[in-house]
Amino acid sequence: MDAIKWFDENGNEIIHEPENSDLIEQLTEVGGIFEEFRVGINFYSKSLDRNEITALLGKEPTKSWNPNEKHSVGNSNKTRTTDWGIWYLQSKRDKIELNIKLKDLLESLTLDLDNWKVLTSKYEAWIDVAGYMENWNRGFTLNSEIMKMLSDRNLKIEFDIYFYANDDDN
């Protein structure tokens, strides 16, 4: 266990006698980073053309369909038809730091900002981030490089936060 230091209101260290760390029970952990992330990019429209998006981005989607096209529902064997289409590309869920995941995703797609202008003027477009935490009070930061990349591509960002407490937690 890391050493704990205590200070009084004047900033002077309060010296405590060392304690037997075998007798100390950790009650909680506060703060820190999310345990895992998944990121994706999405395009949605009632006039979506999935082949155009694939061609302009230079990457095959995880899943896509055009309006009025039969497509599967989730991971089931069921299908449906909607009057809207979607194109999305999703990363795997893992422990890679969020800014690295976002940079890898965006750099795997076209760097041609004119292509992004075409896409974001025709379709609703956004990045989604799913953050998974096993303890409360987790956080993350988007660095200025990522924010510029999102802005240059006219992409908004949405966050879904998931909390999975251990069964032993109260």
Side-chain angles (χ1 to χ4, degrees):
M1 175 179 233
D2 294 333
I4 298 174
K5 292 185 177 186
W6 299 89
F7 298 89
D8 65 19
E9 65 275 3
N10 298 316
N12 300 313
E13 185 175 359
I14 300 170
I15 306 297
H16 286 276
E17 292 299 317
E19 298 181 33
N20 183 345
S21 63
D22 294 336
L23 301 176
I24 297 174
E25 177 184 2
Q26 182 175 343
L27 298 177
T28 189
E29 178 183 330
V30 178
I33 60 171
F34 280 66
E35 279 74 23
E36 294 182 316
F37 288 102
R38 176 179 301 162
V39 299
I41 186 164
N42 305 269
F43 294 88
Y44 165 90
S45 175
K46 289 192 173 196
S47 60
L48 187 121
D49 179 346
R50 64 186 177 145
N51 293 329
E52 176 188 38
I53 296 169
T54 300
L56 288 172
L57 290 179
K59 183 101 171 182
E60 290 292 326
T62 302
K63 191 170 185 179
S64 67
W65 63 85
N66 289 324
N68 303 310
E69 189 174 86
K70 193 179 228 182
H71 58 274
S72 61
V73 179
N75 295 325
S76 72
N77 292 326
K78 297 179 181 180
T79 60
R80 69 177 175 182
T81 303
T82 57
D83 66 347
W84 49 270
I86 195 159
W87 187 105
Y88 67 89
L89 176 64
Q90 193 173 63
S91 75
K92 67 180 184 174
R93 175 179 162 180
D94 57 30
K95 296 181 182 301
I96 295 174
E97 196 269 332
L98 177 58
N99 288 284
I100 293 170
K101 288 185 81 64
L102 288 169
K103 185 176 181 183
D104 289 348
L105 174 66
L106 293 171
E107 287 183 345
S108 75
L109 304 168
T110 185
L111 300 177
D112 185 340
L113 296 180
D114 288 333
N115 285 5
W116 286 99
K117 285 180 189 173
V118 169
L119 291 169
T120 59
S121 67
K122 290 178 77 171
Y123 307 117
E124 185 176 343
W126 70 96
I127 294 285
D128 63 63
V129 173
Y132 302 88
M133 60 182 168
E134 296 173 1
N135 206 336
W136 59 285
N137 194 28
R138 297 291 198 224
F140 58 87
T141 301
L142 295 179
N143 66 36
S144 58
E145 178 186 14
I146 294 303
M147 292 176 25
K148 181 169 182 356
M149 291 176 82
L150 294 171
S151 177
D152 287 349
R153 290 157 179 79
N154 195 31
L155 293 169
K156 63 182 179 179
I157 190 164
E158 295 184 3
F159 300 96
D160 285 325
I161 308 302
Y162 299 93
F163 173 69
Y164 297 100
N166 293 328
D167 291 338
D168 298 338
D169 293 342
N170 291 328

